[in-house]
Amino acid sequence: MKNGRIYEDLSLIGGRAHKTFNVFVVLFIILLLCFWKIQILDHENYWKKSEANRVREIVLPAQRGLITTRNNEILANNIASFKVSIIRENCKNIDESCQKIAQLLNLEVSVLKERINRYETLPAFVPIVVKDNLSRKEVSIVESRKLEFPELIIQAEPKRYYPYGDFASHVIGYLQELSLKEIKMDIYKEMRFGDLVGKIGIEKEYEAKLKGEEGRVIEIVDSLGKKKDEIARLEPLKGQNIMLTLDFDLQKKAEELLEGNEGSIVILDPRTGEILALASYPNFDPNKFINRFTPKEWIDLINSPEFPLENRAIRGLYSPGSIFKLVIALAALDLNIITDRTLFFCSGNIVIYGHPFSCWFKPGHGNINLYNGIKHSCNIYFYQLGKRLGIEEISVYARMLGYGRKTGIDLSGEKDGLVPDPSWKERVKNAPWYPGETISVSIGQGPLLTTPLQVACHTAIIANRGRKITPHLLMSDNFISSERERQEWVPDKILVKIKKSVFEKVIKGMWKAVNENGTARAARIDGYDVCGKTGSTQTVSKETSEKLEKEVKTHSWFTGFAPKSDPKVVITILVEYGGLGGSTAAPMANKLFDLYRKKYD
């Protein structure tokens, strides 16, 4: 019996021991898994943390290259600046830290948290910039309270600075912080979170040239983060400087003339394609983009009804109006549909395809030939040409002369514009082309759309008597911006296949429009042989205006070149809702031609 009782007691103990053993086995397996996760899966993370306790790598930002005008005025410079970043792994309680840091740096807690949350997927030891452009006082405050705020670090960086504020802002562009989505793109694979990159304009187009190469310093630090020694140093390389073709005085004058209006001015050299001025108004101050935006500030900017970020010179789409009559004249002459002596009678009104069409000059121009048709911008003269040409021929010559396709300028975001034809209407609107629509297109109305830069390039082709140019902003003797432009520079593609004598006749009409009391007479300069053409395009039809009981508002156009025999400058102006081209755009052109002549000719 005694032996039996002993056996039963041992059995109970053995069962318990077995269970205990299993528990220890499970705990041991869990422990092994933890060690495996720490040493294998999270090895790199913990290795970096351990190294950070004694070794610190500091990135030395490279200075961006300068951007200057052709006259060496600096449009984009660099100045010394400081920023403060937070390291989340040094925070005992992130919410408490945010409250204290917001008070220290005079920030709103919500803004601070929003910025930290934006990068919550980053490792906790990666610094997140919470405020930049610190004053000396702010730097001193943070440094003096380093023991109280171990999660904050001060970093020095070169800051982009635009000394002339909003001057040429659509050309220069601006810098902005990379988003989490952009950082994953191949073009930004060498960039880090928080880096600023060019988002539009020259800053974006030549980012690779401007950004330079970052340097590195590896230091030995103590437990408080104080530097004890320096192991290695790689100095940063400054980015390349970029000289633009912009002329400071012409750009400044163009922006002054546009102030208070919405519109664009393009001034270029037809011999080389160099852009001397490219103004778009309203504009913006790129310095504001250097200091990191709050979401509300950014939304307010992009939702502004004036669209200050829109570069109207390359992205604004407008009907060219009477400017397009030059295309109609060139096509009709080149196809021998008319000669320069062919007469049409303008009574002020005409019926074509059963629909009434009118001339802008209600009494009518009487019998009128090519030269006076251009000089007085007679609608009925060009209605007749458009009817004889047909929409197919009009579209062919429009594309040949630079409409309906990008110009190739070294700025991203340029729009193609639109040259309509029957196939386009069938494809887009699933409807046939009606002959009456051709009559509207013949005076630059209807679905025809263009940018001011396209009009300037079209004018340069006329000034060059058929030679194409590629507009560009980078100062270079041999500017070729892409493979498509390389093809454009093949010799047999440089010239438009229109006889030189045809261009001479149209140029004579443009000269008369300026110098013989034509519609562009306000652009005249004694002794300078300015050639030009005005245009006024309706934003709504007369019928729609009458229904809405609103005044018909028109955009004001001028495009021209000088001198006639040896063209050196092309000027194109578009003023939204500016009224008649002869009363608004042409006087602006006069001031710009006069300035160019005094400075260069």
Coordinates of all heavy atoms in Angstrom, one line a residue, residues 350-391:
I350 N -22.1 89.6 -95.6 CA -22.1 88.7 -96.7 C -22.9 87.4 -96.2 O -22.9 87.1 -95.0 CB -20.7 88.3 -97.1 CG1 -20.7 87.6 -98.4 CG2 -20.0 87.6 -96.0 CD1 -19.3 87.4 -99.0
V351 N -23.5 86.8 -97.2 CA -24.2 85.5 -96.9 C -23.4 84.4 -97.5 O -23.2 84.4 -98.7 CB -25.7 85.5 -97.4 CG1 -26.3 84.1 -97.2 CG2 -26.5 86.6 -96.7
I352 N -23.0 83.4 -96.7 CA -22.2 82.3 -97.2 C -22.9 81.0 -96.7 O -23.1 80.9 -95.5 CB -20.7 82.3 -96.7 CG1 -20.1 83.7 -97.2 CG2 -19.9 81.2 -97.3 CD1 -18.7 83.8 -96.7
Y353 N -23.1 80.1 -97.6 CA -23.8 78.8 -97.2 C -25.1 79.1 -96.5 O -25.5 78.4 -95.6 CB -22.9 77.9 -96.3 CG -21.6 77.6 -96.9 CD1 -20.4 77.8 -96.3 CD2 -21.5 76.9 -98.2 CE1 -19.2 77.5 -96.9 CE2 -20.3 76.6 -98.7 CZ -19.2 76.9 -98.1 OH -17.9 76.5 -98.6
G354 N -25.8 80.2 -96.9 CA -27.1 80.5 -96.4 C -27.1 81.1 -95.0 O -28.2 81.3 -94.4
H355 N -25.9 81.5 -94.5 CA -25.8 82.1 -93.2 C -25.2 83.5 -93.3 O -24.2 83.7 -94.1 CB -25.0 81.3 -92.2 CG -25.6 79.9 -91.9 ND1 -26.6 79.8 -91.0 CD2 -25.4 78.7 -92.4 CE1 -27.0 78.5 -90.9 NE2 -26.3 77.9 -91.8
P356 N -25.6 84.5 -92.6 CA -25.1 85.8 -92.7 C -23.8 85.9 -91.9 O -23.7 85.4 -90.8 CB -26.1 86.7 -92.1 CG -26.9 85.8 -91.1 CD -26.8 84.4 -91.7
F357 N -22.7 86.5 -92.4 CA -21.5 86.8 -91.7 C -21.2 88.3 -91.9 O -21.5 88.9 -92.9 CB -20.3 86.0 -92.3 CG -20.5 84.5 -92.1 CD1 -21.1 83.7 -93.0 CD2 -20.0 83.9 -90.9 CE1 -21.3 82.3 -92.7 CE2 -20.1 82.6 -90.7 CZ -20.7 81.8 -91.6
S358 N -20.6 88.9 -90.9 CA -20.3 90.3 -91.0 C -18.8 90.7 -90.8 O -18.1 89.9 -90.2 CB -21.1 91.1 -89.9 OG -20.8 90.6 -88.6
C359 N -18.5 91.8 -91.3 CA -17.1 92.4 -91.0 C -17.2 93.2 -89.8 O -18.2 93.8 -89.4 CB -16.7 93.2 -92.2 SG -15.0 93.8 -92.1
W360 N -16.0 93.3 -89.1 CA -16.0 94.1 -87.9 C -16.2 95.6 -88.2 O -16.7 96.3 -87.4 CB -14.6 94.0 -87.2 CG -13.4 94.6 -88.0 CD1 -12.7 93.9 -88.9 CD2 -13.0 95.9 -87.9 NE1 -11.7 94.8 -89.4 CE2 -11.9 96.0 -88.9 CE3 -13.4 97.1 -87.2 CZ2 -11.2 97.2 -89.1 CZ3 -12.7 98.2 -87.4 CH2 -11.6 98.3 -88.3
F361 N -15.9 96.0 -89.5 CA -16.1 97.4 -89.9 C -17.5 97.4 -90.7 O -17.6 97.1 -91.8 CB -15.0 97.8 -90.8 CG -15.0 99.3 -91.2 CD1 -15.0 100.3 -90.3 CD2 -15.1 99.7 -92.6 CE1 -15.1 101.6 -90.6 CE2 -15.2 101.0 -92.9 CZ -15.1 102.0 -91.9
K362 N -18.5 97.8 -89.9 CA -19.9 97.7 -90.5 C -20.1 98.4 -91.8 O -20.9 97.9 -92.6 CB -20.9 98.2 -89.4 CG -20.9 97.3 -88.2 CD -22.0 97.8 -87.2 CE -22.0 96.9 -86.0 NZ -23.0 97.3 -85.0
P363 N -19.6 99.6 -92.1 CA -19.8 100.3 -93.4 C -19.2 99.5 -94.5 O -19.5 99.7 -95.7 CB -19.1 101.6 -93.2 CG -19.1 101.9 -91.8 CD -18.8 100.5 -91.2
G364 N -18.2 98.6 -94.2 CA -17.5 97.8 -95.3 C -16.3 98.5 -95.8 O -16.2 99.7 -95.7
H365 N -15.4 97.7 -96.4 CA -14.1 98.2 -96.9 C -14.2 98.4 -98.4 O -13.2 98.9 -99.0 CB -13.0 97.3 -96.6 CG -12.7 97.2 -95.1 ND1 -13.1 96.1 -94.3 CD2 -12.1 98.0 -94.2 CE1 -12.7 96.3 -93.1 NE2 -12.1 97.4 -93.0
G366 N -15.2 98.1 -99.1 CA -15.3 98.2 -100.5 C -14.4 97.2 -101.2 O -14.2 96.1 -100.6
N367 N -14.0 97.5 -102.4 CA -13.1 96.5 -103.1 C -11.7 96.5 -102.4 O -11.1 97.6 -102.1 CB -12.9 97.0 -104.6 CG -14.0 96.6 -105.4 OD1 -14.6 95.5 -105.3 ND2 -14.4 97.5 -106.3
I368 N -11.2 95.3 -102.1 CA -10.0 95.2 -101.3 C -9.1 94.1 -101.7 O -9.6 93.0 -102.1 CB -10.5 95.0 -99.8 CG1 -9.3 95.3 -98.8 CG2 -11.1 93.7 -99.6 CD1 -9.7 95.4 -97.4
N369 N -7.8 94.3 -101.8 CA -6.9 93.3 -102.2 C -6.1 92.7 -101.0 O -6.5 93.1 -99.8 CB -5.9 93.9 -103.2 CG -5.0 95.0 -102.6 OD1 -5.0 95.2 -101.4 ND2 -4.3 95.8 -103.5
L370 N -5.1 91.9 -101.2 CA -4.4 91.2 -100.2 C -3.8 92.2 -99.2 O -4.0 92.0 -97.9 CB -3.3 90.3 -100.7 CG -2.4 89.7 -99.7 CD1 -3.1 88.6 -98.9 CD2 -1.1 89.2 -100.3
Y371 N -3.1 93.2 -99.7 CA -2.4 94.1 -98.8 C -3.3 94.9 -97.9 O -3.1 95.0 -96.7 CB -1.5 95.0 -99.6 CG -0.5 94.3 -100.5 CD1 -0.5 94.5 -101.9 CD2 0.4 93.4 -100.0 CE1 0.3 93.9 -102.7 CE2 1.3 92.7 -100.8 CZ 1.2 93.0 -102.2 OH 2.1 92.3 -103.0
N372 N -4.4 95.4 -98.5 CA -5.4 96.1 -97.7 C -6.2 95.2 -96.8 O -6.7 95.6 -95.7 CB -6.3 97.0 -98.6 CG -5.5 98.1 -99.1 OD1 -4.6 98.7 -98.5 ND2 -5.9 98.5 -100.3
G373 N -6.4 93.9 -97.3 CA -7.1 92.9 -96.5 C -6.4 92.7 -95.1 O -7.0 92.6 -94.1
I374 N -5.0 92.6 -95.2 CA -4.2 92.4 -94.0 C -4.2 93.7 -93.2 O -4.3 93.7 -92.0 CB -2.8 91.9 -94.3 CG1 -2.9 90.5 -95.0 CG2 -1.9 91.9 -93.1 CD1 -1.5 90.0 -95.5
K375 N -4.0 94.8 -93.9 CA -3.8 96.1 -93.3 C -5.1 96.5 -92.5 O -5.0 96.9 -91.3 CB -3.6 97.2 -94.4 CG -3.7 98.6 -93.9 CD -3.6 99.6 -95.1 CE -3.8 101.0 -94.7 NZ -3.7 102.0 -95.8
H376 N -6.3 96.3 -93.0 CA -7.5 96.6 -92.3 C -8.1 95.4 -91.6 O -9.2 95.5 -91.0 CB -8.5 97.2 -93.3 CG -8.1 98.5 -93.9 ND1 -7.8 99.6 -93.2 CD2 -7.8 98.8 -95.2 CE1 -7.4 100.6 -94.0 NE2 -7.4 100.1 -95.2
S377 N -7.5 94.2 -91.8 CA -8.0 93.0 -91.1 C -9.5 92.7 -91.5 O -10.3 92.5 -90.7 CB -7.9 93.1 -89.6 OG -8.0 91.8 -89.0
C378 N -9.7 92.8 -92.8 CA -11.1 92.7 -93.3 C -11.6 91.2 -93.2 O -11.1 90.3 -93.8 CB -11.2 93.1 -94.8 SG -12.8 92.9 -95.5
N379 N -12.7 91.0 -92.4 CA -13.2 89.7 -92.2 C -13.8 89.1 -93.5 O -13.5 87.9 -93.8 CB -14.4 89.7 -91.2 CG -13.8 89.9 -89.8 OD1 -12.6 89.9 -89.5 ND2 -14.8 90.2 -88.9
I380 N -14.5 89.9 -94.3 CA -15.1 89.4 -95.5 C -14.1 88.9 -96.5 O -14.3 87.9 -97.2 CB -16.1 90.4 -96.1 CG1 -17.3 90.5 -95.1 CG2 -16.5 90.0 -97.5 CD1 -18.4 91.5 -95.5
Y381 N -13.0 89.6 -96.6 CA -11.9 89.2 -97.5 C -11.4 87.8 -97.1 O -11.3 86.9 -98.0 CB -10.7 90.2 -97.4 CG -9.6 89.8 -98.3 CD1 -9.6 90.3 -99.6 CD2 -8.5 89.0 -97.9 CE1 -8.5 90.0 -100.5 CE2 -7.5 88.7 -98.8 CZ -7.5 89.2 -100.1 OH -6.4 88.9 -100.9
F382 N -11.3 87.5 -95.8 CA -10.7 86.2 -95.4 C -11.8 85.2 -95.3 O -11.5 84.0 -95.4 CB -10.0 86.4 -94.1 CG -8.7 87.1 -94.3 CD1 -8.6 88.5 -94.1 CD2 -7.6 86.4 -94.7 CE1 -7.4 89.1 -94.3 CE2 -6.3 87.0 -94.9 CZ -6.2 88.4 -94.7
Y383 N -13.1 85.6 -95.2 CA -14.2 84.6 -95.3 C -14.1 84.0 -96.7 O -14.2 82.7 -96.9 CB -15.5 85.3 -95.2 CG -15.9 85.7 -93.8 CD1 -16.7 86.8 -93.6 CD2 -15.5 85.0 -92.7 CE1 -17.1 87.3 -92.4 CE2 -15.8 85.5 -91.4 CZ -16.6 86.6 -91.3 OH -17.0 87.0 -90.0
Q384 N -13.9 84.8 -97.7 CA -13.8 84.3 -99.1 C -12.7 83.4 -99.3 O -12.8 82.4 -100.0 CB -13.7 85.5 -100.1 CG -14.9 86.5 -100.0 CD -16.1 86.1 -100.8 OE1 -16.4 84.9 -100.9 NE2 -16.8 87.0 -101.4
L385 N -11.5 83.8 -98.8 CA -10.3 82.9 -98.9 C -10.6 81.6 -98.2 O -10.2 80.5 -98.7 CB -9.1 83.6 -98.3 CG -8.6 84.9 -98.9 CD1 -7.2 85.2 -98.4 CD2 -8.6 84.8 -100.4
G386 N -11.1 81.6 -97.0 CA -11.4 80.4 -96.3 C -12.4 79.5 -97.0 O -12.2 78.2 -97.0
K387 N -13.4 80.0 -97.6 CA -14.3 79.2 -98.4 C -13.6 78.5 -99.6 O -13.9 77.4 -99.9 CB -15.5 80.1 -98.9 CG -16.5 79.4 -99.8 CD -17.6 80.4 -100.3 CE -18.6 79.7 -101.2 NZ -19.6 80.6 -101.7
R388 N -12.7 79.2 -100.3 CA -12.0 78.7 -101.4 C -11.0 77.6 -101.0 O -10.8 76.6 -101.7 CB -11.4 79.8 -102.2 CG -12.3 80.7 -102.8 CD -11.6 81.7 -103.8 NE -12.6 82.6 -104.4 CZ -12.3 83.4 -105.4 NH1 -11.1 83.3 -106.0 NH2 -13.2 84.2 -105.9
L389 N -10.4 77.8 -99.8 CA -9.4 76.9 -99.4 C -10.0 75.6 -98.9 O -9.5 74.5 -99.2 CB -8.6 77.5 -98.2 CG -7.5 78.5 -98.6 CD1 -7.0 79.3 -97.4 CD2 -6.3 77.8 -99.3
G390 N -11.0 75.7 -98.0 CA -11.6 74.5 -97.4 C -10.8 74.1 -96.1 O -9.6 74.5 -96.0
I391 N -11.4 73.5 -95.2 CA -10.8 73.2 -93.9 C -9.6 72.3 -94.0 O -8.7 72.4 -93.2 CB -11.9 72.6 -92.9 CG1 -11.4 72.5 -91.5 CG2 -12.4 71.2 -93.4 CD1 -11.0 73.9 -90.9

